[in-house]
Amino acid sequence: GRKDVKKSVKKVIQWVDDKLEVFIGAVFLALMVVFTTLQIVGRYLFSTPFPWTEETTRYLFIWMMFIALAAGFNKAESSRVVLFLNLGPKWLKKFSEVLYAVIVIGFFGFMVIYGWELVMQQKMLNEMGTALRIPMTIIGFCVPLSGVLGITGTIQSFLEYRGNVAISDDTKAEGGNEA
């Protein structure tokens, strides 16, 4: 029943966060190597690079970076600034996990909202790539998609790796003095 659906949804989200993002990144990186090699070969063998290889590589890089941005939050392994939390009041440390999740989800929510607006603007203006002549909405769509993946990854990491974002009260572990 309901438990099975919940379990299935969790499995799908975990598969997307753990496998799909890595697979997409690996494929895009491999394609970037292939297209960059084609560009070099074209430049040295034909004295002119293929015009579409540079643009293709750029678009693959953009997509790869936005997917990687979202993937960086899957296991709460992203960087966080603990200096301000350590200098702040104790109640701030207690709520650091929740604060982390709210700020990160807010950031990715911003990406979804304004990324979607970007895609709609590109569609309205009928923007096209210069060499490839593909709709720029295909490129712009990586922004809201990355935001959605970032939100699901952050929720997953908050539920599964919650202790990874906690700020301990132990100053000895962070190089402080025991006094």
Side-chain angles (χ1 to χ4, degrees):
R2 189 173 178 191
K3 251 186 178 179
D4 292 335
V5 171
K6 194 174 182 181
K7 198 178 221 182
S8 296
V9 169
K10 186 177 179 181
K11 275 181 136 177
V12 168
I13 289 173
Q14 191 168 7
W15 180 82
V16 167
D17 285 341
D18 293 343
K19 305 279 191 271
L20 184 63
E21 291 170 346
V22 173
F23 176 75
I24 290 171
V27 168
F28 284 7
L29 180 61
L31 288 172
M32 286 172 56
V33 169
V34 168
F35 293 132
T36 302
T37 303
L38 279 172
Q39 185 177 32
I40 293 168
V41 167
R43 182 175 294 140
Y44 287 106
L45 289 182
F46 306 112
S47 298
T48 179
F50 300 112
W52 55 271
T53 55
E54 183 181 343
E55 191 171 297
T56 304
T57 303
R58 185 178 331 119
Y59 294 158
L60 289 170
F61 181 75
I62 290 168
W63 264 87
M64 188 176 71
M65 288 299 97
F66 274 99
I67 298 297
L69 172 69
F73 287 84
N74 289 349
K75 293 186 171 93
E77 295 173 346
S78 59
S79 306
R80 27 174 240 262
V81 180
V82 296
L83 174 67
F84 296 114
L85 292 171
N86 284 334
L87 293 175
K90 284 189 179 199
W91 65 264
L92 188 60
K93 291 178 190 177
K94 289 179 183 177
F95 295 107
S96 63
E97 292 173 306
V98 174
L99 183 64
Y100 170 85
V102 167
I103 290 171
V104 171
I105 289 172
F107 170 74
F108 283 122
F110 177 86
M111 286 179 61
V112 171
I113 293 166
Y114 289 100
W116 187 253
E117 284 184 15
L118 171 71
V119 171
M120 292 296 101
Q121 180 182 6
Q122 290 170 327
K123 183 178 179 180
M124 183 183 73
L125 297 174
N126 200 27
E127 290 183 17
M128 302 293 278
T130 309
L132 295 174
R133 303 303 304 157
I134 61 171
M136 290 304 291
T137 54
I138 294 171
I139 309 309
F141 187 69
C142 69
V143 178
L145 178 63
S146 175
V148 169
L149 292 174
I151 289 170
T152 59
T154 301
I155 292 169
Q156 176 192 355
S157 71
F158 188 74
L159 297 174
E160 292 183 30
Y161 306 100
R162 191 170 179 177
N164 289 3
V165 297
I167 306 299
S168 71
D169 210 11
D170 183 14
T171 54
K172 183 180 176 187
E174 296 166 359
N177 295 331
E178 282 185 88

